[in-house]
Amino acid sequence: MSRMRERGWVRSLTGIDGPGVRLVCFPHSGGSAIAFGEWAAAVPSGTALMAVQYPGRGDRFGEPPVDDVAAMADSAAAELLRLPPGDRVLFGHSLGALVAYETALLLRDAGEEPLALCVSAALPPGEMSERNVHLAPDDEFWATLHALGGIEPAVLENKELRELLLPMLRSDLRAHATYRPSPGAGPLSCPVRGYHGEGDPLVAEARLAGWARVTSGEYSGTVRPGGHFHVEHDVPGLVADVLSHGRA
């Protein structure tokens, strides 16, 4: 069973925090750190797998959610910077891609730029066009989330769970919708790797290449089967690809 810290923003999913690379993962809207639990079996020996736990879910369910990407990144970066210095690769999915990007900037400004930034199923910073999903009536909002395939059928059919989850989901999507990149932040210098799920209704493959603008380093992109939640398919292959772009 994975060892996890009691609270805070960063969870260790492998119990390893040695001299090797730390792979730090940032979940999607409505997601929690445990979304990356299956990755623990796929990381090589000596690699630390960590995941960010946003408030309002998992062991932080009783805390009010945070609806601001910059504030999320501030907290995540502050906790990462309290760890001993070391090489990091950041991976963010959907909303998590934006939080990971802002975290990478903060780490860079503190002299600890990650080896690589990997972004999945997310438009480049500032390019989101559909910004009103979180404002839809409950039934319409829930149906939209259902169509994306990111909610288990048992949860979809449970009205009590729906009522518990809706405020947190709205908060996450509001954070995504209201996010604007900081002007004058300056590009990263690390490589950026983009992941597109084939058939993703939220992110056109061609637009993913706009992430090249956030770095003066190399940008590369790849397409995977599985739509918006491609991260659930061939986890070992995805983890290997992510880490291959974080080689020093």
Side-chain angles (χ1 to χ4, degrees):
M1 183 175 180
S2 297
R3 294 191 299 168
M4 299 180 77
R5 299 179 188 181
E6 285 300 316
R7 289 172 78 87
W9 282 77
V10 181
R11 302 286 183 273
S12 172
L13 300 182
T14 54
I16 299 171
D17 191 17
V21 171
R22 297 181 182 120
L23 172 55
V24 185
C25 300
F26 297 74
H28 59 280
S29 294
S32 66
I34 202 62
F36 298 98
E38 291 186 22
W39 290 38
V43 295
S45 175
T47 297
L49 175 64
M50 298 179 169
V52 172
Q53 185 82 299
Y54 309 139
R57 68 220 70 202
D59 60 355
R60 304 186 72 186
F61 188 80
E63 300 178 46
V66 176
D67 61 358
D68 183 280
V69 167
M72 296 163 115
D74 283 344
S75 295
E79 192 161 325
L80 289 171
L81 288 168
R82 286 196 290 271
L83 298 173
D87 293 332
R88 302 182 184 91
V89 174
L90 306 189
F91 177 92
H93 180 64
S94 195
L95 168 67
L98 300 177
V99 184
Y101 164 63
E102 288 288 336
T103 300
L105 291 175
L106 293 169
L107 295 176
R108 185 271 313 274
D109 292 346
E112 296 189 24
E113 185 167 354
L115 293 178
L117 170 65
C118 297
V119 292
S120 165
L123 292 170
E127 289 194 15
M128 185 177 183
S129 54
E130 179 49 73
R131 298 184 181 272
N132 296 317
V133 173
H134 66 288
L135 300 174
D138 284 354
D139 288 344
E140 180 183 339
F141 180 68
W142 200 246
T144 299
L145 298 178
H146 179 201
L148 292 176
I151 300 178
E152 296 293 332
V155 175
L156 282 168
E157 297 167 5
N158 189 313
K159 292 184 178 180
E160 291 183 357
L161 273 178
R162 182 177 108 158
E163 294 307 310
L164 286 172
L165 294 174
L166 276 175
M168 177 266 290
L169 288 163
R170 284 191 187 278
S171 177
D172 282 0
L173 288 169
R174 182 164 52 248
H176 204 153
T178 59
Y179 168 72
R180 301 292 189 281
S182 301
L188 298 164
S189 60
C190 66
V192 174
R193 175 73 160 167
Y195 296 87
H196 175 73
E198 189 174 14
D200 187 340
L202 297 181
V203 183
E205 180 186 350
R207 296 183 66 187
L208 193 69
W211 279 98
R213 295 191 294 271
V214 308
T215 185
S216 61
E218 179 185 3
Y219 170 81
S220 61
T222 189
V223 179
R224 308 182 76 245
H228 191 67
F229 286 95
H230 71 88
V231 290
E232 298 174 358
H233 299 265
D234 185 19
V235 169
L238 177 56
V239 171
D241 189 87
V242 168
L243 291 174
S244 74
H245 292 275
R247 291 178 181 147

